[in-house]
């Protein structure tokens, strides 16, 4: 075998040699992940659904990688405060965000400057598709179906319909029903689900919309009856039909929303993939399953599925949100 190298071999060898330091540094950085404790910033308060999911998944990830996962609650401004901090963090996979679709999608519509650009500053890793939200009516209204609700709204002229915030999924749902059926319902906005369902318990609301778990106080006391589910059926109440099954035509009635994890945009893809794999693997953990079951949520999905869901639902959320006519604050 000849010891001589032709010109192409020399160039190839030189190119490889020049690239080796970068490749070694990249492989070393990715292979060492995580090199220290992971900060998982939850952009909502302790004790809520997002926080409990962050802690359950964080504990599982910690066991798998042998590093502590510290949950830091940074609530405020519809999740924007904690999200902006993650967007500014070093893109090494050591700082992870746990938040919801309001943070990832809605803030770009309702805020002039949320402090981050979702498309430029962050990369979604894995999400848990949301459960179908319940539309619940005061039993005194006699509403048992969407058709009953429309008839009640037309007859009464005024419906006290509660949402848990302006710009929320319930707010957009009422807006879409108004457009489809020619109604003029003006939502009553509360600061969260708890006070909204309290209003339902006190009998001040004709109807409201929110999560299955948070609605239990109303449902179990017979102060409310479910007449529809927003986008997908809820396993605990399989006989209740969705809005599309009852004639709702808006594209918004097909989106689910989600809770999930994101990292700074420039985080190496192998690190992103590994973190996504861990989130999916966590679905089999007993503590994680308990939290998912408590909130009637689906399992976490992988990186490709996550971003396909995001790209599919993003324009629908944006179009519906913009039709609310809210002035960005």
């Amino acid at each position: 075998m000849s010891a001589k190298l032709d010109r192409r071999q020399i160039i190839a060898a030189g190119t490889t040699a020049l690239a080796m330091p970068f490749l070694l540094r990249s492989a070393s950085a990715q292979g060492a992940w995580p090199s220290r404790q992971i900060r998982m910033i939850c952009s909502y308060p302790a004790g809520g659904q997002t926080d409990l999911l962050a802690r359950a998944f964080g504990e599982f990830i910690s066991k798998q990688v042998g590093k502590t996962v510290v949950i830091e609650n940074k609530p405020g401004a519809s999740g924007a405060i904690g999200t902006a901090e993650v967007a500014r963090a070093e893109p090494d996979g050591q700082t992870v965000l746990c938040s919801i679709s309001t943070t990832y999608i809605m803030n770009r519509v309702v805020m002039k400057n949320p402090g981050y650009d979702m498309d430029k500053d962050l990369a979604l890793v894995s999400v848990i598709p949301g459960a179908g939200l319940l539309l619940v009516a005061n039993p005194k209204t006699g509403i048992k179906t969407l058709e009953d609700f429309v008839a009640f709204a037309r007859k009464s002229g005024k419906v006290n319909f509660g949402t848990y915030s302006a710009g929320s999924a319930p707010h957009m749902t009422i807006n879409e029903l108004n457009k489809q059926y020619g109604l003029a319902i003006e939502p009553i906005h509360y600061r969260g689900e708890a006070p909204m369902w309290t209003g339902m318990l006190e009998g001040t609301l004709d109807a409201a919309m929110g999560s299955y778990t948070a609605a239990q106080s109303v449902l179990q006391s017979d102060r409310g009856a479910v007449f529809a589910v927003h986008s997908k059926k809820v396993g605990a109440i399989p006989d209740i039909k969705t809005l599309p099954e009852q004639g709702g035509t808006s594209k918004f009635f097909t989106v689910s929303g989600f809770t999930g994890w994101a990292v700074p945009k420039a985080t190496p893809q192998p690190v992103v993939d590994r973190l996504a794999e861990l989130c999916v693997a966590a679905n089999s953990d007993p503590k994680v399953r308990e939290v998912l079951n408590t909130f009637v949520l689906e399992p976490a999905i992988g990186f490709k599925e996550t971003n396909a869901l995001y790209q599919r639902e993003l324009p629908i959320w944006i179009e519906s949100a913009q039709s609310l006519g809210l002035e960005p604050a």
Side-chain angles (χ1 to χ4, degrees):
M1 181 175 179
S2 174
K4 295 181 179 180
L5 296 175
D6 63 26
R7 185 170 178 273
R8 286 175 298 178
Q9 290 173 310
I10 292 172
I11 291 174
T15 302
T16 301
L18 289 171
M20 279 303 293
F22 168 78
L23 294 174
L24 288 172
R25 286 197 305 271
S26 177
S28 175
Q30 294 167 12
W33 182 87
S35 60
R36 59 184 185 279
Q37 73 175 23
I38 298 171
R39 296 175 65 213
M40 186 177 291
I41 294 180
C42 176
S43 63
Y44 285 86
Q49 175 178 307
T50 310
D51 173 69
L52 294 175
L53 287 168
R55 293 180 187 280
F57 277 80
E59 183 177 339
F60 175 83
I61 292 171
S62 176
K63 291 177 182 177
Q64 301 305 307
V65 301
K67 300 290 183 181
T68 303
V69 176
V70 178
I71 309 300
E72 297 182 18
N73 296 93
K74 299 290 181 72
S78 296
I81 292 175
T83 303
E85 182 169 338
V86 175
R88 296 190 299 266
E90 196 70 26
D92 55 9
Q94 309 287 161
T95 305
V96 181
L97 173 68
C98 184
S99 196
I100 63 176
S101 45
T102 296
T103 302
Y104 296 126
I105 297 176
M106 285 295 294
N107 283 354
R108 72 179 74 194
V109 177
V110 299
M111 292 184 179
K112 289 182 180 178
N113 181 22
Y116 61 93
D117 184 314
M118 181 61 205
D119 298 325
K120 295 179 180 179
D121 299 334
L122 294 161
L124 276 176
V125 175
S126 173
V127 300
I128 300 167
L133 296 177
L134 312 186
L135 282 80
V136 180
N138 187 318
K140 293 181 180 179
T141 64
I143 296 171
K144 295 182 179 179
T145 64
L146 176 59
E147 184 179 4
D148 293 340
F149 175 76
V150 173
F152 176 84
R154 286 175 174 161
K155 182 179 180 180
S156 65
K158 181 180 180 181
V159 178
N160 294 323
F161 195 104
T163 85
Y164 45 76
S165 69
S168 63
H171 187 186
M172 288 190 281
T173 296
I174 289 304
N175 187 52
E176 296 297 333
L177 289 173
N178 280 343
K179 288 191 292 184
Q180 179 177 344
Y181 294 103
L183 306 175
I185 300 170
E186 294 186 8
I188 299 173
H189 302 303
Y190 289 80
R191 294 184 176 181
E193 274 203 78
M196 180 191 74
W197 291 123
T198 297
M200 195 79 179
L201 283 168
E202 293 173 346
T204 58
L205 293 175
D206 297 311
M209 178 175 165
S211 66
Y212 174 83
T213 302
Q216 288 308 300
S217 59
V218 171
L219 300 180
Q220 292 176 4
S221 62
D222 295 326
R223 299 294 181 89
V226 184
F227 66 90
V229 183
H230 171 253
S231 60
K232 62 177 71 171
K233 288 195 172 184
V234 174
I237 46 174
D239 294 336
I240 304 298
K241 294 182 179 180
T242 64
L243 289 173
E245 288 176 327
Q246 297 189 57
T249 58
S250 171
K251 289 182 180 178
F252 185 70
F253 300 153
T254 67
V255 302
S256 60
F258 52 82
T259 300
W261 295 269
V263 292
K265 191 73 170 183
T267 302
Q269 190 60 43
V271 174
V272 174
D273 291 339
R274 175 59 177 150
L275 184 55
E277 290 170 359
L278 287 167
C279 289
V280 173
N283 292 324
S284 62
D285 180 74
K287 289 186 178 180
V288 168
R289 286 203 307 271
E290 182 180 356
V291 177
L292 292 174
N293 291 337
T294 296
F295 294 103
V296 200
L297 297 173
E298 298 179 8
I301 58 178
F303 175 77
K304 289 183 178 180
E305 295 86 353
T306 287
N307 285 275
L309 173 68
Y310 177 72
Q311 293 301 326
R312 182 171 64 251
E313 293 198 352
L314 176 63
I316 300 174
W317 277 91
I318 296 299
E319 180 182 355
S320 185
Q322 289 176 337
S323 73
L324 295 175
L326 296 175
E327 288 293 328

